[in-house]
Amino acid sequence: MSELRLTAEEQAMLAGELGPGVQKAMDIVVTLGRIYGAPDLVPVTHVQIAGVSYKNIGDAGVEFLADWADAGARVRVPTMLNPMGMEEARWQEIGFAAAFAQPQLRAIGAFAKLGVQQTLSCVPYLLPEAGLHFGDHVAWAESSAVVFGNSVLGLHTNREGGPSALAAAVVGRTARYGYHQDTNRRANWIVEVACPVHTVAEFGALGYLVGQQVGNGCLWFADLAAWLPPLAEDITQGGAAGDRLKTLGAALAGYGAVALYHIDGYTPEARQHGAALLGPAPQRLRIDSLAPAYAVMDANPEVTAIDLVTIGCPHASLSEIEAIADYVRGKQLRTRLWVTTGRLIRARAEEAGWVQAIEAAGGMVVADTCAVVAPVRQLGIRSMATNAGKMACYAPAHSGVTMRYGELEQCLEAALSGTWPAT
Ligand code: F3S
């Protein structure tokens, strides 16, 4: 293990002078720093914590959080929470069991005691409240947010684990290694995309094909800008480009372990530094067709009856909610539709009247959760449809459902008719 320099304040934290909760957090941050050869710690401006759903953390996780909160630890930088296993306001109405809800509420109570904001969303980058700026060092644990933050916003973050992100929030620092160091932000893969990529579903399919080839590589997309609309000035709205990049990154992180990509002439660091971001002797990958991705992601073509159509993985943006509201307004759905998003985004969509349009049609704009981290089998759901690459990857394994994967319009037609539309 190499030498890790600590300031006097950091040494005091490690020695327990600020209490046992802070000491435990600093111990985690310092241990990681020593393992990864960090020279020092870097202050972080924002933290995103994952590992919130009782479905994933279980009783041991709830006890761990409660103990840490009881030890007097408090976050010292703005810290937000990933989705939990249910919507807080309507868990009974939706049908979740009290045996699930009670420990889940205890877990988010512990986070509240620690000072963590109850955003319960995997898209902190769509929240103006996060106050993110190009070049900020942050500590994020949600893998889809990590890749969006690093790549599209030019943030610096590693893929934190749940406890290490919480530790960073408590001490306001993380160890300076990995993507916090500029030398590690150079691409070791050049990816060429030789087939058309237009829609959110197609960007998810591209993410699958690339992610499962490159592992945790850092990517240089040589020609992807040609298939993307311009990045919106205000990315918190989502927008045509933001929605595509949101799903691309989630699939890259879900099927691989990508935390950073650059798009030549498009993403902020690529615009600033150009080909200087290419590392020595990068490997090459060329994508000629998206068809192999659909063969895997549209996993159950024999299934046509759909129990749940789910849109919003990562959580839906305002632009996605608006488009869904426009599609279903004045119609009546025949099967369940969940548009999953964060409670702050839901409130904004409600102000615009979009939530009412979707719910009048029989759908739900579900806050705080998603169909991966919620125990959907408890609700009798056996077959799902989505246009989100990460959902297609995770839901069959995590929620034990069959999966149809396709365009937003196909998903919404399935919600209207109850069956997956023939092509
Ligand atoms: Fe978010 Fe759930 Fe997808 S946490 S990225 S909506 S699996």
Side-chain angles (χ1 to χ4, degrees):
M1 291 194 190
S2 66
E3 195 59 37
L4 175 74
R5 289 188 308 277
L6 296 180
T7 65
E9 186 190 10
E10 290 159 359
Q11 284 172 4
M13 290 180 180
L14 190 59
E17 292 172 25
L18 278 74
V22 175
Q23 183 179 32
K24 176 173 165 173
M26 187 52 103
D27 193 43
I28 292 172
V29 170
V30 164
T31 300
L32 284 172
R34 290 191 175 131
I35 289 170
Y36 289 104
D40 60 1
L41 307 186
V42 58
V44 293
T45 57
H46 189 270
V47 173
Q48 169 78 7
I49 291 176
V52 184
S53 172
Y54 177 61
K55 178 180 170 185
N56 297 333
I57 64 175
D59 291 322
V62 177
E63 289 310 320
F64 174 82
L65 292 169
D67 286 351
W68 210 344
D70 289 344
R74 299 292 177 266
V75 302
R76 60 177 69 207
V77 293
T79 302
M80 293 179 166
L81 266 189
N82 235 30
M84 63 170 167
M86 61 188 197
E87 182 179 302
E88 185 174 19
R90 296 187 291 182
W91 62 266
Q92 285 159 307
E93 181 189 329
I94 295 172
F96 294 108
F100 180 85
Q102 278 153 5
Q104 180 64 86
L105 293 171
R106 186 159 173 250
I108 65 162
F111 281 120
K113 193 168 172 185
L114 285 154
V116 179
Q117 298 169 40
Q118 311 277 290
T119 47
L120 296 159
S121 178
C122 49
V123 290
Y125 48 86
L126 295 184
L127 302 178
E129 291 82 353
L132 304 167
H133 299 101
F134 176 80
D136 284 352
H137 291 265
V138 301
W140 284 3
E142 165 53 41
S143 65
S144 65
V146 166
V147 65
F148 193 100
N150 274 328
S151 311
V152 183
L153 302 184
L155 305 178
H156 293 63
T157 179
N158 291 321
R159 279 170 61 132
E160 299 286 348
S164 72
L166 183 52
V170 169
V171 300
R173 299 153 167 84
T174 191
R176 193 192 302 273
Y177 68 95
Y179 295 105
H180 293 286
Q181 296 177 309
D182 287 342
T183 48
N184 297 323
R185 298 178 70 87
R186 291 185 300 166
N188 53 13
W189 281 87
I190 296 176
V191 182
E192 293 171 82
V193 181
C195 55
V197 193
H198 295 290
T199 64
V200 164
E202 288 172 351
F203 271 84
L206 176 64
Y208 163 79
L209 291 173
V210 177
Q212 45 110 33
Q213 292 275 345
V214 304
N216 65 356
C218 176
L219 313 180
W220 178 264
F221 282 107
D223 45 16
L224 194 58
W227 297 108
L228 281 162
L231 266 180
E233 191 92 340
D234 180 4
I235 201 70
T236 63
Q237 302 295 304
D243 293 340
R244 285 159 176 75
L245 296 174
K246 178 161 75 76
T247 202
L248 171 69
L252 288 169
Y255 290 105
V258 173
L260 171 63
Y261 63 79
H262 306 288
I263 301 175
D264 190 6
Y266 191 86
T267 47
E269 283 168 281
R271 288 204 312 271
Q272 200 170 70
H273 303 294
L277 282 171
L278 278 171
Q283 299 185 73
R284 286 186 172 269
L285 175 64
R286 181 183 149 111
I287 304 297
D288 290 304
S289 165
L290 301 178
Y294 282 86
V296 175
M297 298 165 80
D298 187 24
N300 301 97
E302 74 285 0
V303 174
T304 53
I306 305 298
D307 295 332
L308 173 68
V309 174
T310 178
I311 310 293
C313 172
H315 269 173
S317 68
L318 286 171
S319 53
E320 289 175 308
I321 298 171
E322 181 182 16
I324 296 162
D326 287 347
Y327 199 97
V328 303
R329 185 176 287 109
K331 299 174 183 164
Q332 208 52 47
L333 307 183
R334 283 206 140 134
T335 197
R336 271 192 263 213
L337 167 67
W338 280 10
V339 182
T340 50
T341 193
R343 54 177 64 181
L344 294 172
I345 294 172
R346 186 185 189 283
R348 283 169 198 135
E350 197 165 12
E351 281 168 25
W354 302 328
V355 171
Q356 296 87 330
I358 293 167
E359 300 204 340
M364 291 189 86
V365 180
V366 178
D368 307 339
T369 190
C370 76
V372 168
V373 297
V376 293
R377 280 185 71 90
Q378 280 184 11
L379 308 179
I381 290 162
R382 299 288 181 271
S383 59
M384 282 178 27
T386 191
N387 69 336
K390 181 176 174 182
M391 181 63 66
C393 168
Y394 278 53
H398 286 243
S399 299
V401 294
T402 58
M403 179 60 68
R404 296 306 310 260
Y405 181 74
E407 300 300 329
L408 176 64
E409 294 73 17
Q410 288 175 285
C411 293
L412 295 177
E413 285 301 320
L416 286 166
S417 70
T419 56
W420 189 251
T423 46

